[in-house]
Amino acid sequence: MKDKCGVFGIFGHEEASWLTYLGLYALQHRGQEGTGICSTDGRRLHVHRDQGLVAEAYRGETFQHLPGHGANSTSGAGSLSNLQPLLASYRDGTIALAHNGNLVNARELHEECEHLGSIFQTTVDSEVIVHLVARAKPPDLGGRLLQALSRVRGAYSLVALTPDRMIGIRDPHGFRPLCLGKLDRAWVLASESCALDLLDAEYVREVEPGEMVTVTQEGLETRRFGGDASRSECIFEHVYFARPDSRAFGRGVNEVRVRLGRQLAREHPAEADVVMAVPDSSNAAALGFSQEAQIPLEHGLIRNHYVGRTFISPSQNLRNLGVRLKYNAVREVVEGRSVVVVDDSVVRGTTSRSLMRIVREAGARAIHFRVSSPPVKHPCYYGIDMPTYDELVANQRTLEEIRDYIGVDSLGYLSTEGMLRAVRGEDASGACAACFTGEYPVRWKRAPSKSDFEVETPEKV
Amino acid sequence: MKDKCGVFGIFGHEEASWLTYLGLYALQHRGQEGTGICSTDGRRLHVHRDQGLVAEAYRGETFQHLPGHGANSTSGAGSLSNLQPLLASYRDGTIALAHNGNLVNARELHEECEHLGSIFQTTVDSEVIVHLVARAKPPDLGGRLLQALSRVRGAYSLVALTPDRMIGIRDPHGFRPLCLGKLDRAWVLASESCALDLLDAEYVREVEPGEMVTVTQEGLETRRFGGDASRSECIFEHVYFARPDSRAFGRGVNEVRVRLGRQLAREHPAEADVVMAVPDSSNAAALGFSQEAQIPLEHGLIRNHYVGRTFISPSQNLRNLGVRLKYNAVREVVEGRSVVVVDDSVVRGTTSRSLMRIVREAGARAIHFRVSSPPVKHPCYYGIDMPTYDELVANQRTLEEIRDYIGVDSLGYLSTEGMLRAVRGEDASGACAACFTGEYPVRWKRAPSKSDFEVETPEKV
Amino acid sequence: MKDKCGVFGIFGHEEASWLTYLGLYALQHRGQEGTGICSTDGRRLHVHRDQGLVAEAYRGETFQHLPGHGANSTSGAGSLSNLQPLLASYRDGTIALAHNGNLVNARELHEECEHLGSIFQTTVDSEVIVHLVARAKPPDLGGRLLQALSRVRGAYSLVALTPDRMIGIRDPHGFRPLCLGKLDRAWVLASESCALDLLDAEYVREVEPGEMVTVTQEGLETRRFGGDASRSECIFEHVYFARPDSRAFGRGVNEVRVRLGRQLAREHPAEADVVMAVPDSSNAAALGFSQEAQIPLEHGLIRNHYVGRTFISPSQNLRNLGVRLKYNAVREVVEGRSVVVVDDSVVRGTTSRSLMRIVREAGARAIHFRVSSPPVKHPCYYGIDMPTYDELVANQRTLEEIRDYIGVDSLGYLSTEGMLRAVRGEDASGACAACFTGEYPVRWKRAPSKSDFEVETPEKV
Amino acid sequence: MKDKCGVFGIFGHEEASWLTYLGLYALQHRGQEGTGICSTDGRRLHVHRDQGLVAEAYRGETFQHLPGHGANSTSGAGSLSNLQPLLASYRDGTIALAHNGNLVNARELHEECEHLGSIFQTTVDSEVIVHLVARAKPPDLGGRLLQALSRVRGAYSLVALTPDRMIGIRDPHGFRPLCLGKLDRAWVLASESCALDLLDAEYVREVEPGEMVTVTQEGLETRRFGGDASRSECIFEHVYFARPDSRAFGRGVNEVRVRLGRQLAREHPAEADVVMAVPDSSNAAALGFSQEAQIPLEHGLIRNHYVGRTFISPSQNLRNLGVRLKYNAVREVVEGRSVVVVDDSVVRGTTSRSLMRIVREAGARAIHFRVSSPPVKHPCYYGIDMPTYDELVANQRTLEEIRDYIGVDSLGYLSTEGMLRAVRGEDASGACAACFTGEYPVRWKRAPSKSDFEVETPEKV
């Protein structure tokens, strides 16, 4: 299963679990359905996991039950049975594993382990990895992990915790980000650098693709594995997923997005009175477009951040209510004008369609919709939660059909080349852009599915 | 007591309570501590009130208990005993009253009513008004309300509901906003027009200062009262409080804020590499500053919207944690540069101080802090929740002392004249800017206090 | 409105609010829908009220918000708007009032107060009383209360709290119980003596009908009022409502119930193999029956105390599920035998009917149903929550019809005379047995109704 | 780990999950910390598990997520990670396992499985069993289960569910109860027969020690296993644990307890005025004692069933508060009298000590404490949650020392022989009375411990 989430760990600090809780706030945008923290006091592991947002899942007393100087955690997906970190005992000890990514051969490995007599209690990939660790031969945890991961194919950024150490690992392709920081004498691992900033921890560097860093009381050691796999850093992190104040894959996200917007303006200029963003994820791209196109930027769409789960009247017929609750147009910015609306990406197209209707009803004379990435035409099998082919608006539709569906006067997607150059400069080869191109860096035998497992675990209700 | 909140009402729609619940989402920024909805089925009033956000206080079943074609509501302040709308019976019927504002003679009227034998169960101003309504002589509700309000001094935008009508009122000075909309055959009242947009209701106009509109099954009637009081529309709504996609006092809020930023640039230019906003409330002012100053705008501060109540470690020593949880700087925008940071207003100065430290630590070479309003030097007694004199950073501090406290290289506040012109054009006289100038349009006998009442009602815990 | 509840107060103890919380546990059987505690620190009153059981409505932190040496409280009825104690300010101070009982002229007084300009925010009788207090002339609270109560007719056991005193009052007829205790130097008031036992407080005596006791830092004073009203102590407290370990009206409840059972056996003997109780409220009466009838007692019905709110399948067709969840028969006690089932009272008859079906299905050869009180034929207007005439099984039904409805082989109700003698010995004249006899000791102008008020306040959902 | 709980299952009914929820209410006394239901729709298993009481853990919507015609469930122990039923996939399918009991070689098997490469995510014995099932060779589930259970030693009453069948198993010694019922065409399994009664299901028989019953759409099949193990039915179920309206091991619990009380009276008569029970679990034994001793039974102790988790004042010095909240004495029954207090068992002795103080303070002249079972001197390793040796009051204390500790005038425990005869008649050899005798029917290599596992999973807070 796709483990869309943020991972975090800290080792060597007396308030480890409390700091990891703060770190989760900074990674909340990576997953909102469930969260967990596991801590070590040197002898045992302690865990708290629950559904919901970080702000809902922990209380003051929780941290009394999470003592110790080391902790790892996730904020991410989560039915009650699938909450991470996954905590298990095996022959030589106990381990808590937090995983961001997606394994393409999880199903085969799952079956292989079952064939050897293992049982599975969740559908998260972490469990597959822990099974392989338990079956690995080397006597040390590092060796076990590397042997286990030699069987695994796909995307994984891991933070593992045992009673006496924390280990951070990125897969040899480096699909998902993971960075290393320092807070006084403690080492910190986090999906994005914004979590380091929150703790006032120093950003040290990315964990490299194919690198395993091990932190103990003695300090940090590093090991390389995975041979010379091609680097395949997820382009979608820069396009949409990461926070703009983060560094991801060594590049500032905000900066990259401004370049995407500039490149978009060069590729798809528009005659318009004003440029506006779909807030907040497209703010930077819209700014870049405005700068390059020399068309003034204005705040034409406002986002309401208070909206959570809402109740729908059975007989309700308010069109686009979900989108309306989240966005509103600023009439005086839009009315009677030709507007460029910049969005970072279009997946299903339904939100774009509703949003453009709101812009149209606010009086726009013409709408030029510009997208700072290419059409999403393929699912992601490496950890981004995307729908199947059927639900992608760009699947088997021409540009003209998409324009018509969304309801705009003109439509421009950034080219793949333009995107890669804007994001990575000369290093375009190091990126995974499979959702745009269909060129999957890591293949599979059987098509990965959303659920590799027959047991359906409904949400807590 | 200061009733910092949003009010909403609808009359003539079969899903009145459900629509008012949606409307509350659009007004949530006006108050987050408690909320209530009262509905009428033509014979009786039904009410649901609870603490917390709109998203927390209502569930699907709630609306089965709020039947009928009319409803009023608030999202705002609220200990359990002070939740609005206030619902009461009196000699001639029952009334539910939702109030945004603050009465400066509440204490005198409270005592006067007590002297006549009344009891008080809350500390909200709505209760004072309902007591006066109950004691008024005229036989009709409109007449009673007008007689009651003739005694009242201060700020009030009211939405009243009885079994057979909804009444909207703005005080003669028009301190607080209230607008009128239409949804099919139903009339809608809302603090801000963004609530109308959400329902796809048509914006009709502001309720005028000194106007009472009455909606029944027969339609809408209007009456004027209060004589020729001077118009005193709250300037702080435009500066900070209202949503940028709203119209307030007939002016688009976003547009006004851009003008404030432009004027600020004219008054306090700066030599700098980049302009950045304190998101989200200063986005428009920063844009205006950038445009006028011809210095590029960039997104140098990022806001995390997931942060709610957090738990603090007893031994924690993370400086500025509260502000850090909410904001982070984008290092590549800030590092090594001279930056203009635009904020809409500075009240206590503590957040600004912490924020500027974050900007400094991100590597800013120089920080030019610009505020798109004058120094807040006086408390508000008309409905904006401001601290006492002692807590205002601009109270008894020179500009140089404030600059030093906040920790910036230069500091510029917008002038009062500049602010008034930017907000109101030629109609500067119609505004209340008392928090900046100390010129209070409505005086009082005894200084209004935060609590007029001895009973302390703690929060639900 | 009927205030079915328990009241409690303590004055002169440093942990007043925490002790009153414990006291509420002992009175929980008197009302489960809502609860509140008000405390005084000598200067101000502090309050916490919430819906639900005592175990649900308070948390550890609550007591930090309820400081001081005095407190009063209720566990009882309660929509969110009607929670007690009612807390209000009036001309000369603030008062928190906890009331158990029911006023028969509440509606007239309500209207009278409204006529004089008062507003009502709840439908509890406490509010009527506070309005009268506020309008009373005497300068001291005691005098005000007595003047207020001179207007009031019906049942009231009150515990009032102000910043500097606690006052306990029983109406001149003494409908509802209220007793006085001592814990070290603190005075305690409680509906039933079991609350004193829990605190290890000494039982001193009943507050007398028409007595007002005032507790201050100086000690306790007493005053009499109400002239020579006839004593009318609720017989239903002894029959069913009070806890068996309490003294009520100076008599031990358990003892009284045993006597009721004995008398029942004399009046309605049965040829049977075994006597069994409907647990727990009929345990004592069944014991008495068994002793007198010389038929062995056995535990033939078991009660499940874990059942709270349950969810019902829409398509469910389990007959008598509500009763089944609560009770089960012990087959080996019942099977093939002729059984006497003793219940303390029968109101609607629906539970009895379901229960007897369970006994029948467990194999009883014959069921002799014996009730240790007469048929309930009239509603109570003095504080016991009974249904209207239409819902009472004994209303307009002959004994034979009731027997047939409940489905038993024989039916015997205790006679009124028998009941009075068993409960009160020679003092039968001092009791109110109106629900059995229709002889109401205090009359009314207009029939008291369940709700005197048009505003319907739904439960919190 | 000790799985103190109730298990339930139903197969062949369209409302399986809703009926199993009702069944859990009847078994709630067997475990209150957590609960879960797993259902099958024929293709997949669906699960809901949560902490707390049955009344708290499920809501109306839950059952929409638990579709199908079969379900199994538990109410029992439970940190979030240890909730049952345990749900897992293995080589040949998925299985949900509900277990009541305790395995004495769980630790060895756990280590053996780990040695073979398995991982453990919980500390419940169900997981050990599922691992063994997964590793078993036979192609059919029944065969697998039997092969797995051939490795297991100790107590287990199991209800297993797979997509197409429900299986009920009792270990060859039959330590824990499990009975079989029929509801229309559906088969039901339950720890106690009271759960059948609630559903109006017919009691068919006990599942036999060493019996496996398999229910599919085709009907019920039975298989025997385990050879000629000696029957060892837990005597403590009859003494204390089971509900009195249940049949356990084919004997009515109430009836047995009455006999225990009679035998107790024969062994330890007392000169006394009255016999009283510690309600509710000792009601039947007290009745038996009273009958045999010809001393009248009275209700001298009252239990408050409303008390759940309570908050304790940090400075509280109310002696015995926990016991006081639960029990109170009826003074008029006790005062000045010589009383026999009958309890079913004494484990730690702390509750007895506090209770007897309450009885003493209520004025008892003499207290003769009688216990309808022998001294508990040994821990249970077969599923009853008892403390370690150190905490047992009868461990290394003489009778006289215990009498002195509890603070009574005389003390009498039932003899082991008396108990066995009262419970089982001539079949005394078929019982496990290890907690009284130390004669453990199933031995172990290493002493079983409370936690076989190093990972501590704190309660949800």
Side-chain angles (χ1 to χ4, degrees), chain B residues 143-392:
Chain B
R144 279 171 176 279
L145 271 163
L146 292 188
Q147 192 174 90
L149 294 174
S150 72
R151 300 294 321 286
V152 151
R153 309 181 67 238
Y156 49 89
S157 280
L158 303 171
V159 179
L161 187 75
T162 70
D164 69 351
R165 66 194 56 211
M166 174 176 74
I167 296 182
I169 303 175
R170 263 177 87 200
D171 71 68
H173 298 277
F175 280 105
R176 309 249 64 87
L178 186 65
C179 67
L180 183 67
K182 196 113 209 266
L183 176 58
D184 304 330
R185 293 173 45 202
W187 289 95
V188 186
L189 292 162
S191 288
E192 297 182 27
S193 66
C194 61
L196 304 179
D197 293 348
L198 175 57
L199 303 185
D200 220 353
E202 179 195 354
Y203 172 84
V204 176
R205 62 174 175 87
E206 300 287 299
V207 175
E208 291 295 310
E211 180 180 10
M212 176 172 80
V213 298
T214 302
V215 183
T216 64
Q217 298 280 22
E218 271 68 53
L220 181 143
E221 278 178 18
T222 181
R223 252 166 108 170
R224 305 305 296 259
F225 68 101
D228 53 354
S230 62
R231 190 177 282 243
S232 306
E233 293 171 342
C234 171
I235 202 93
F236 212 72
E237 293 272 354
H238 278 119
V239 163
Y240 163 78
F241 199 48
R243 253 175 58 169
D245 51 329
S246 286
R247 297 184 74 72
F249 310 126
R251 289 175 184 83
V253 173
N254 175 74
E255 185 176 33
V256 162
R257 288 187 188 159
V258 173
R259 283 204 303 267
L260 286 164
R262 284 183 170 276
Q263 177 65 19
L264 179 61
R266 284 190 290 268
E267 295 189 11
H268 297 286
E271 293 284 320
D273 302 314
V274 62
V275 171
M276 51 199 252
V278 178
D280 289 338
S281 59
S282 309
N283 285 349
L287 183 69
F289 192 103
S290 158
Q291 290 170 349
E292 185 72 23
Q294 298 284 322
I295 303 172
L297 178 77
E298 295 201 36
H299 301 299
L301 284 166
I302 299 298
R303 180 164 172 188
N304 182 358
H305 289 281
Y306 288 108
V307 180
R309 206 183 305 182
T310 51
F311 295 97
I312 302 300
S313 159
S315 62
Q316 74 98 359
N317 53 5
L318 275 177
R319 279 178 309 135
N320 316 319
L321 181 63
V323 172
R324 270 178 189 288
L325 276 163
K326 244 172 117 176
Y327 296 105
N328 192 18
V330 180
R331 179 166 281 272
E332 81 243 21
V333 171
V334 171
E335 197 163 27
R337 295 167 95 179
S338 171
V339 303
V340 173
V341 180
V342 178
D343 206 348
D344 50 75
S345 54
V346 176
V347 179
R348 284 177 183 81
T350 47
T351 297
S352 303
R353 180 183 162 101
S354 296
L355 252 177
M356 292 311 108
R357 208 170 276 167
I358 289 171
V359 172
R360 186 77 69 186
E361 288 169 5
R365 184 162 48 79
I367 305 177
H368 304 286
F369 190 48
R370 296 293 179 268
V371 186
S372 62
S373 61
V376 172
K377 291 192 168 172
H378 307 270
C380 174
Y381 297 129
Y382 310 124
I384 295 288
D385 192 18
M386 274 184 190
T388 57
Y389 279 105
D390 289 352
E391 297 172 272
L392 296 170

Side-chain angles (χ1 to χ4, degrees), chain C residues 70-139:
Chain C
N72 69 347
S73 59
T74 58
S75 65
S79 66
L80 258 182
S81 306
N82 275 342
L83 295 172
Q84 293 204 57
L86 187 111
L87 175 58
S89 77
Y90 66 103
R91 193 185 342 179
D92 289 337
T94 55
I95 187 168
L97 195 62
H99 171 216
N100 170 221
N102 197 39
L103 308 183
V104 298
N105 63 339
R107 193 183 186 111
E108 289 91 330
L109 294 170
H110 180 125
E111 286 173 6
E112 180 185 314
C113 288
E114 283 188 354
H115 193 78
L116 292 169
S118 293
I119 68 171
F120 279 77
Q121 296 185 47
T122 77
T123 57
V124 294
D125 286 350
S126 311
E127 189 173 3
V128 174
I129 298 172
V130 172
H131 277 291
L132 295 175
V133 167
R135 295 187 172 287
K137 303 289 183 221

Side-chain angles (χ1 to χ4, degrees), chain D residues 266-323:
Chain D
R266 285 191 289 267
E267 296 188 12
H268 298 285
E271 292 286 318
D273 303 312
V274 62
V275 172
M276 52 199 252
V278 178
D280 291 340
S281 57
S282 309
N283 285 349
L287 183 68
F289 192 103
S290 158
Q291 290 170 350
E292 186 71 23
Q294 299 283 325
I295 304 171
L297 178 76
E298 295 201 36
H299 301 298
L301 283 167
I302 299 299
R303 178 164 174 188
N304 181 359
H305 289 280
Y306 288 110
V307 179
R309 206 182 304 181
T310 51
F311 294 98
I312 304 299
S313 159
S315 62
Q316 74 98 359
N317 52 6
L318 276 176
R319 279 177 310 136
N320 317 320
L321 180 63
V323 173

Side-chain angles (χ1 to χ4, degrees), chain D residues 71-334:
Chain D
N72 69 346
S73 59
T74 58
S75 64
S79 66
L80 258 182
S81 307
N82 275 342
L83 295 171
Q84 294 204 54
L86 187 111
L87 176 58
S89 77
Y90 65 105
R91 191 184 343 179
D92 288 338
T94 56
I95 187 168
L97 194 63
H99 170 215
N100 170 219
N102 197 39
L103 308 183
V104 298
N105 63 338
R107 195 185 184 108
E108 289 91 328
L109 295 170
H110 180 126
E111 287 174 6
E112 179 184 317
C113 288
E114 282 188 355
H115 192 77
L116 293 170
S118 294
I119 67 171
F120 279 76
Q121 297 185 48
T122 76
T123 57
V124 294
D125 287 348
S126 311
E127 189 173 3
V128 174
I129 298 172
V130 172
H131 276 291
L132 295 174
V133 166
R135 295 186 172 287
K137 303 290 182 219
D140 65 308
L141 179 62
R144 280 171 176 279
L145 272 162
L146 292 189
Q147 190 172 94
L149 294 173
S150 72
R151 301 295 321 285
V152 152
R153 309 181 67 238
Y156 49 89
S157 279
L158 304 172
V159 180
L161 187 75
T162 71
D164 69 352
R165 66 194 56 208
M166 173 175 75
I167 296 181
I169 303 174
R170 262 177 89 201
D171 71 68
H173 298 276
F175 281 105
R176 309 248 65 86
L178 186 65
C179 68
L180 183 68
K182 195 113 208 267
L183 177 58
D184 304 329
R185 295 172 45 202
W187 289 95
V188 186
L189 292 161
S191 288
E192 297 182 26
S193 66
C194 62
L196 304 178
D197 293 347
L198 174 57
L199 303 186
D200 220 352
E202 179 195 353
Y203 172 84
V204 176
R205 61 174 176 87
E206 300 287 299
V207 175
E208 291 296 311
E211 181 180 10
M212 174 173 80
V213 298
T214 302
V215 183
T216 64
Q217 298 281 23
E218 271 69 52
L220 180 142
E221 278 179 18
T222 179
R223 251 165 111 168
R224 305 304 297 261
F225 69 102
D228 53 353
S230 62
R231 190 177 282 243
S232 305
E233 293 171 340
C234 171
I235 202 93
F236 212 71
E237 293 273 353
H238 278 120
V239 163
Y240 163 77
F241 199 47
R243 257 175 56 170
D245 52 329
S246 286
R247 297 185 74 74
F249 310 126
R251 289 174 182 83
V253 174
N254 175 74
E255 186 176 30
V256 163
R257 289 188 187 157
V258 173
R259 283 204 303 267
L260 287 164
R262 284 185 171 276
Q263 177 65 17
L264 180 60
R266 285 191 289 267
E267 296 188 12
H268 298 285
E271 292 286 318
D273 303 312
V274 62
V275 172
M276 52 199 252
V278 178
D280 291 340
S281 57
S282 309
N283 285 349
L287 183 68
F289 192 103
S290 158
Q291 290 170 350
E292 186 71 23
Q294 299 283 325
I295 304 171
L297 178 76
E298 295 201 36
H299 301 298
L301 283 167
I302 299 299
R303 178 164 174 188
N304 181 359
H305 289 280
Y306 288 110
V307 179
R309 206 182 304 181
T310 51
F311 294 98
I312 304 299
S313 159
S315 62
Q316 74 98 359
N317 52 6
L318 276 176
R319 279 177 310 136
N320 317 320
L321 180 63
V323 173
R324 272 179 186 288
L325 276 163
K326 246 172 115 176
Y327 297 104
N328 193 18
V330 180
R331 178 167 283 273
E332 81 246 18
V333 171
V334 172

